């Protein structure tokens, strides 16, 4: 409430001077008047328009599919940046109590942080129950809090180990099934004069968290029904073990320590600088988009299940995966809910999504279709990766619990990873420091820490 | 005669006063457009931020009045202190470096004439004309360990070039970027000051037997003292508010640029990432206080030598 008056004043002045002129009539949530600034074309101009922020690479096609099939509601889409860039804007809009879209694409681990600020709408009474059957229990758990449903899942990120067949063949390495074997293979490759076995960057806190959870760590215990209490456990043995494991590989020079998703890293992947890439089901699509798997390195990639700590008790984990949520700033929540439920849910969009490997669909209609199950994935040289690797990994995923301050937690984990990579801290120390930082932060935000 | 003067005097004064008043009013009219923008985009946000900084907001607890708690918290916050310490250290190195480069370049350009001189002047100034964002991106490429020219030259000699954005080297990596960016700009200011010196002074110095080096050191440099002080203050304020360059190289710097790298970056992250607008406002004001203090100390230390603020 404290923000509204001066914020309105500043915005008003900006509008007078002309800075907001291009915003047009879209200031009231965008649903009352037809928004003037959409990336896409509106097909039925008289239907209420719903503003959407999303960054999927094939979003233009998905939005067109939706708009062509609906006469009662239209989507006005903007790409407000990928991941953190979009969350920063959304967070600012929440603080300003103005400027958020009606529907927003969010990764599952970010939901709680926005739920606690009352920024998202419970979709259960708005039709979410009707689509529940389309999703697995794990996928649905990631978007729900008790009986409330805060988003509709779209894609998941079951994890696996992508590897280079040419390097594995040349040095006679078989895909490791456990992390111990992974370290052994890495040592073998180095001794034979081969490239780095993999890479762990400082900028992939979500990946590191998944690997910690795989070992049995439970970083957060949190339930919105008990809003003020949170359980934090980042200094447990499992977390320390995982951090020490990677610190050790880095120290021995067995894996690279380059930040991922950078030009340097991608050029390394193209050039065979890394033998493996521990990543999620969306990775092939991302890599293809960056030009990996074409030219000299075409057909060189294959995928194997994620290495395990205990082979007799395998654990499946998730990296990324996103959803569509309706914001509480939306002026027309019913229309917005219709979009959140229907966008990227029609057959044509889903098919385009998984065929271009933009998404790993969570919709059972695709997951169970023969075409998807038996698809021979071109990036993996015709390997039936969905059937062999990704579908079993997705089915075994049971959901996770996230904190309401994922952004802060990731920033601190990132800082600790940077220290580990620079060799200035140990896994044990990093876990202890991280635990203290996050606990202090939670207390400063008014939580009671268990 | 004296009676007449006495009689007329008040009339004259009244006329002058009203003329001045009218002129003042017209002056305000000219100032008005600036004043509106100034009030709307500087004074109002400042007051608002000051107001915000007196509250505290927790994710779970909501907003409460905090008085000056945020300020005591800021100055005992290791993140803020660490960032402050970094920019202070950075200032100590980068300001003399920039000033040295700018001064030497300006003195040299003042000596040579002709087409080459104006071309060189343009070339030295050019980095400033390149937007900081593009400059930082460009250096990110130049520093790149897999396809940057530095690495390629080093690999010719079979050595590995140091990665200038790693946590150990980023201080120097950024030092290079900032010096490159700003020296040309400062050079132009010094050069303009040099051009305004009366050349008869040089003639007198030459007659007294001074060589070019002595003229540069003993005559030109002292005469442009006020320009140097101006530059020092600019560069002090700029460096203490260090933001753009580290922020732009952050995604390629392997985690060397932490969220609390400099106080400004810290405030930015607090506000737009962690939704702590109140504490971010307090951090910004604390930084402003430090900048104010640094400038005050600096002008006090240089006041006797004449120039800008005397």
């Amino acid at each position: 409430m404290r923000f509204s008056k001066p914020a309105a004043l500043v915005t008003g002045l900006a509008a007078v001077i002309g800075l907001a002129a291009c915003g047009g009539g879209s200031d009231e949530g965008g649903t009352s008047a037809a928004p003037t600034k959409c990336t896409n074309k509106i097909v039925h101009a008289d239907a209420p328009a719903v503003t959407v922020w999303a960054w999927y690479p094939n979003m233009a096609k998905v939005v067109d599919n939706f708009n062509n099939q609906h006469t009662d509601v239209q989507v006005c889409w903007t790409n407000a940046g990928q991941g953190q860039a979009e969350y920063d804007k959304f967070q600012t809009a929440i603080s300003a109590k103005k400027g958020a879209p009606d529907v927003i694409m969010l990764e599952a681990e970010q939901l709680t942080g926005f739920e606690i600020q009352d920024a998202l709408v419970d979709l259960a009474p708005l039709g979410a129950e009707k689509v529940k059957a389309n999703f697995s229990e794990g996928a649905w758990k990631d978007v729900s809090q008790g009986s409330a449903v805060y988003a509709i899942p779209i894609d998941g990120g079951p994890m696996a180990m992508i590897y280079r067949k040419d390097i594995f063949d040349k040095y006679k390495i078989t895909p490791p099934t456990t992390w111990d074997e992974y370290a052994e293979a890495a040592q073998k490759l180095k001794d034979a004069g081969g490239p780095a076995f993999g890479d762990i960057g400082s900028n992939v806190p979500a990946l590191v968290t998944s690997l910690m959870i795989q070992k049995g760590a439970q970083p957060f215990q949190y339930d919105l029904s008990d809003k003020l209490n949170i359980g934090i456990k980042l200094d447990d043995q499992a977390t320390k073990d995982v951090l020490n494991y990677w610190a050790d590989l880095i120290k021995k020079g067995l894996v690279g320590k380059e930040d991922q998703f950078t030009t340097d890293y991608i050029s390394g992947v193209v050039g065979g600088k890394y033998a493996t890439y521990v990543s999620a089901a969306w990775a092939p699509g991302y890599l293809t988009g960056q030009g990996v798997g074409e030219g000299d390195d075409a057909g060189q990639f294959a995928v194997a299940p994620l290495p395990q700590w205990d082979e007799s008790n395998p654990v499946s984990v998730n990296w990324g995966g996103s959803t569509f949520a309706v914001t509480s700033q939306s002026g027309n929540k019913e229309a917005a809910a219709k979009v959140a439920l229907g966008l990227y849910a029609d057959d044509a969009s889903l098919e385009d999504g998984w065929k271009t490997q933009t998404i790993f669909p969570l919709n059972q209609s695709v997951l169970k279709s023969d075409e998807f199950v038996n698809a021979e994935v071109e990036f993996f040289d015709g390997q039936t990766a969905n059937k062999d690797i990704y579908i079993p990994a997705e089915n075994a995923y049971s959901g996770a619990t996230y904190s309401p301050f994922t952004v802060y937690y990731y920033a601190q984990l990132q800082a600790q990873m940077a220290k580990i990579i620079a060799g200035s801290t140990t896994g044990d120390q990093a876990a202890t420091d991280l635990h203290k930082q996050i606990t202090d932060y939670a207390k400063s935000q008014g939580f009671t820490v268990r | 005669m004296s009676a007449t003067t006495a009689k007329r005097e008040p009339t004259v004064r009244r006329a002058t006063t009203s003329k001045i008043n009218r002129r003042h009013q017209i002056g305000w009219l000219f100032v008005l457009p600036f004043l509106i923008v100034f009030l709307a985009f500087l004074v109002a946000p400042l007051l608002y931020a000051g107001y915000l900084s007196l509250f505290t907001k927790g994710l779970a607890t909501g907003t409460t009045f905090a008085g000056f708690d945020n300020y005591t918290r800021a100055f005992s916050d290791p993140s803020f202190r660490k960032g402050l310490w970094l920019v202070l250290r950075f200032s100590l190195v980068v300001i003399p470096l920039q000033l040295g480069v700018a001064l030497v370049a300006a003195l040299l350009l003042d000596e040579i004439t002709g087409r080459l001189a104006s071309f060189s002047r343009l070339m030295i100034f050019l980095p400033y004309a390149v937007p900081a964002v593009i400059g930082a991106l460009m250096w990110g490429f130049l520093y790149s360990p897999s396809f940057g020219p530095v690495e390629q030259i080093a690999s010719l000699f079979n050595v590995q070039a140091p990665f200038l954005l790693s946590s150990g080297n980023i201080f120097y990596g950024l030092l290079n970027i900032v010096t490159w960016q700003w020296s040309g700009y400062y050079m132009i200011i010094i050069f303009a000051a040099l051009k305004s010196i009366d050349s008869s002074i040089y003639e007198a110095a030459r007659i007294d037997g001074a060589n070019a080096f002595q003229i540069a050191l003993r005559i030109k440099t002292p005469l442009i003292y006020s320009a140097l002080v101006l530059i020092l203050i600019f560069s002090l304020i700029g460096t203490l508010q260090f933001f753009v360059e580290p922020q732009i190289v952050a995604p390629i710097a392997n985690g060397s640029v932490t969220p609390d790298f400099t106080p400004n970056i810290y405030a930015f992250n607090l506000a737009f990432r962690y939704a702590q607008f109140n504490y971010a406002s307090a951090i910004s004001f604390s930084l402003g206080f430090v900048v104010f203090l640094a400038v005050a100390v600096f002008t006090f230390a240089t006041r006797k030598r004449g120039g800008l603020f005397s």
Side-chain angles (χ1 to χ4, degrees):
Chain A
M1 318 298 154
R2 288 202 166 86
F3 289 95
S4 50
K5 242 189 193 166
L9 179 78
V10 171
T11 329
L13 280 166
V16 168
I17 291 162
L19 288 179
C22 48
S26 66
D27 29 336
E28 287 311 318
T31 40
S32 46
T36 49
K37 210 183 156 197
C38 311
T39 309
N40 60 293
K41 257 212 186 107
I42 304 278
V43 183
H44 303 282
D46 42 351
V50 167
T51 51
V52 175
W53 284 358
W55 70 77
Y56 289 119
N58 67 337
M59 201 60 202
K61 197 173 273 180
V62 173
V63 168
D64 286 344
N65 284 344
F66 183 91
N67 282 351
N68 286 329
Q69 289 163 18
H70 290 78
T71 50
D72 52 343
V73 59
Q74 294 285 293
V75 167
C76 169
W77 164 60
T78 312
N79 185 345
Q82 177 164 353
Q84 193 59 55
E86 189 204 66
Y87 308 146
D88 290 354
K89 293 192 185 90
F90 187 38
Q91 184 56 62
T92 309
I94 292 168
S95 302
K97 305 206 185 307
K98 187 179 178 67
D102 298 303
V103 173
I104 185 165
M105 170 176 170
L106 294 170
E107 283 164 290
E109 72 253 40
Q110 301 290 343
L111 289 171
T112 321
F114 294 122
E115 285 159 13
I116 195 178
Q117 300 181 65
D118 293 324
L120 304 180
V121 174
D122 177 10
L123 297 174
L126 293 168
E129 289 302 321
K130 275 182 277 175
V131 298
K132 187 178 174 179
N134 293 349
F135 300 96
S136 74
E137 237 172 277
W140 202 251
K141 183 173 173 254
D142 275 357
V143 296
S144 331
Q145 290 277 350
S147 62
V149 180
Y150 286 101
I152 304 299
I154 303 296
D155 78 323
M159 287 185 58
M161 186 190 75
I162 297 168
Y163 64 95
R164 303 237 356 169
K165 279 191 290 184
D166 52 342
I167 298 173
F168 272 51
D169 289 348
K170 186 176 167 195
Y171 295 96
K172 300 194 172 50
I173 294 168
T174 47
T177 54
T178 66
W179 286 111
D180 286 339
E181 284 175 33
Y182 186 89
E184 276 167 32
Q187 187 67 53
K188 187 179 161 193
L189 189 62
K190 194 193 179 195
D191 293 344
F197 199 62
D199 179 84
I200 189 91
S202 68
N203 67 342
V204 282
L207 165 70
V208 176
T209 305
S210 294
L211 293 175
M212 280 154 35
I213 291 171
Q214 193 200 16
K215 182 84 205 280
Q218 274 192 320
F220 298 103
Q221 270 141 9
Y222 187 69
D223 191 338
L224 265 189
S225 62
D226 184 13
K227 196 171 154 173
L228 294 176
N229 278 302
I230 186 165
I232 300 173
K233 199 144 193 54
L234 286 156
D235 57 350
D236 60 327
Q237 200 53 45
T239 303
K240 287 179 181 170
D241 286 349
V242 170
L243 294 179
N244 279 326
Y245 176 83
W246 288 98
D248 186 51
L249 292 188
I250 290 166
K251 204 170 139 198
K252 288 179 181 156
L254 302 179
V255 293
K257 46 188 181 181
E258 217 150 342
D259 269 6
Q260 297 186 2
F261 307 110
T262 63
T263 328
D264 270 308
Y265 178 71
I266 296 298
S267 76
V269 172
V270 173
K273 201 172 153 189
Y274 313 102
T276 69
Y277 179 27
V278 172
S279 192
W282 42 258
Y286 174 77
L287 293 172
T288 315
Q290 300 291 317
V292 180
E294 288 159 9
D296 285 348
D297 62 348
Q300 302 295 7
F301 292 92
V303 61
L306 188 68
Q308 294 292 331
W309 289 101
D310 178 2
E311 242 185 314
S312 58
N313 185 18
V315 182
S316 187
V317 284
N318 203 58
W319 178 10
S322 48
T323 67
F324 280 128
V326 173
T327 73
S328 45
Q329 287 184 25
S330 169
N332 186 348
K333 296 192 172 67
E334 275 177 24
K338 237 177 240 170
V339 171
L341 263 68
L343 195 59
Y344 227 133
D346 58 296
D347 293 340
S349 297
L350 284 168
E351 191 176 305
D352 185 69
W354 73 258
K355 280 201 170 150
T356 56
Q357 289 160 323
T358 302
I359 60 160
F360 181 85
L362 290 178
N363 204 311
Q364 296 291 327
S365 69
V366 183
L367 280 179
K368 292 199 167 130
S369 73
D370 282 347
E371 200 192 359
F372 180 75
V373 172
N374 297 315
E376 292 172 357
V377 181
E378 195 190 335
F379 184 79
F380 295 126
D381 202 22
Q383 187 181 0
T384 47
N386 293 337
K387 181 167 68 183
D388 301 342
I389 314 292
Y390 289 122
I391 294 176
E394 178 58 35
N395 288 341
Y397 174 64
S398 55
T401 306
Y402 306 105
S403 76
F405 38 77
T406 300
V407 178
Y408 184 82
Y409 161 66
Y410 278 175
Q412 298 309 315
L413 176 56
Q414 213 160 322
Q416 292 299 337
M417 285 307 295
K419 280 191 194 170
I420 287 177
I421 284 166
S424 61
T425 190
T426 62
D428 279 10
Q429 191 59 46
T432 309
D433 290 348
L434 190 62
H435 182 77
K436 186 175 181 310
Q437 282 163 348
I438 303 301
T439 311
D440 287 351
Y441 182 79
K443 284 178 185 158
S444 80
Q445 292 293 312
F447 294 99
T448 309
V449 180
R450 268 178 272 134
Chain B
M1 183 114 167
S2 66
T4 341
T5 323
K7 237 183 202 171
R8 286 188 59 182
E9 225 176 41
T11 340
V12 173
R13 200 173 288 155
R14 211 182 306 133
T16 324
T17 324
S18 71
K19 203 185 267 172
I20 287 173
N21 269 347
R22 212 178 312 137
R23 208 178 280 160
H24 272 189
Q25 282 158 5
I26 293 171
W28 278 111
L29 206 68
F30 280 111
V31 174
L32 198 65
F34 166 75
L35 202 67
I36 290 173
V37 175
F38 178 73
L39 288 175
F41 292 106
L42 193 76
V43 177
L46 262 182
L47 290 176
Y48 182 45
Y51 168 79
L52 277 185
S53 72
L54 301 178
F55 293 86
T56 184
K57 182 175 176 242
L59 264 180
T61 48
T63 308
T64 47
F65 184 72
F68 287 94
D69 283 3
N70 282 334
Y71 290 93
T72 44
R73 185 177 152 206
F75 282 101
S76 59
D77 184 340
S79 290
F80 179 62
R81 281 159 62 158
K82 204 181 73 187
L84 213 52
W85 176 229
L86 179 105
V87 289
L88 285 174
R89 268 188 307 150
F90 202 78
S91 308
L92 280 180
V93 186
V94 82
I95 296 174
L97 192 68
Q98 282 175 344
L99 199 70
V101 173
L103 184 62
V104 169
L107 287 171
L108 285 175
L109 288 177
D110 194 43
E111 277 302 307
I112 55 172
T113 45
R115 210 175 282 165
L116 191 67
S118 50
F119 176 74
S120 312
R121 215 156 54 220
L122 183 68
M123 284 298 114
I124 300 175
F125 180 71
L126 197 65
Y128 176 71
V130 174
V133 173
I134 294 173
L137 281 176
M138 201 183 81
W139 280 105
F141 162 73
L142 292 173
Y143 290 163
S144 161
S146 49
F147 41 72
V150 180
E151 176 56 39
Q152 280 169 3
I153 292 168
S155 67
L156 286 180
F157 302 98
N158 256 336
V159 286
Q160 185 155 19
F163 180 43
L164 280 167
L165 296 176
S166 70
S167 54
N169 294 336
I170 190 152
F171 190 86
Y172 308 102
L174 288 171
L175 197 67
N176 180 28
I177 297 176
V178 174
T179 309
W180 170 86
Q181 176 113 38
W182 288 93
S183 293
Y185 175 67
Y186 296 143
M187 184 271 295
I188 293 290
I189 297 179
I190 299 177
F191 186 75
L194 283 172
K195 281 293 164 208
S196 69
I197 298 173
D198 188 349
S199 60
S200 63
I201 299 176
Y202 303 149
E203 203 184 326
R206 261 181 234 114
I207 292 168
D208 282 349
N211 59 27
F213 184 71
Q214 283 166 325
I215 291 176
L217 203 68
R218 302 266 170 82
I219 294 175
K220 289 182 178 174
T221 311
L223 280 176
I224 53 159
Y225 188 77
S226 58
L228 294 182
V229 171
L230 177 78
I231 291 171
L232 275 168
I233 289 174
F234 278 0
S235 126
L236 184 67
I237 295 173
T239 316
L240 290 176
Q241 301 188 347
F242 205 20
F243 179 77
V244 177
E245 290 86 357
Q247 185 79 352
I248 298 298
V249 298
I252 48 169
N254 279 19
S256 310
V257 179
T258 50
D260 52 6
F261 191 67
T262 73
N264 251 350
I265 291 183
Y266 187 42
F268 174 85
N269 283 320
L270 279 170
F272 301 108
R273 214 149 263 195
Y274 312 150
Q276 296 190 47
F277 286 88
N278 307 84
Y279 188 43
S281 304
I283 290 278
S284 306
F285 269 93
S286 305
L287 176 64
F289 176 71
V290 172
V291 171
F292 179 76
L293 206 67
V295 172
V297 167
F298 181 77
T299 46
F300 182 77
T302 53
R303 79 196 188 289
K304 274 191 185 149
R305 307 286 300 274
L308 201 61
F309 294 102
S310 59

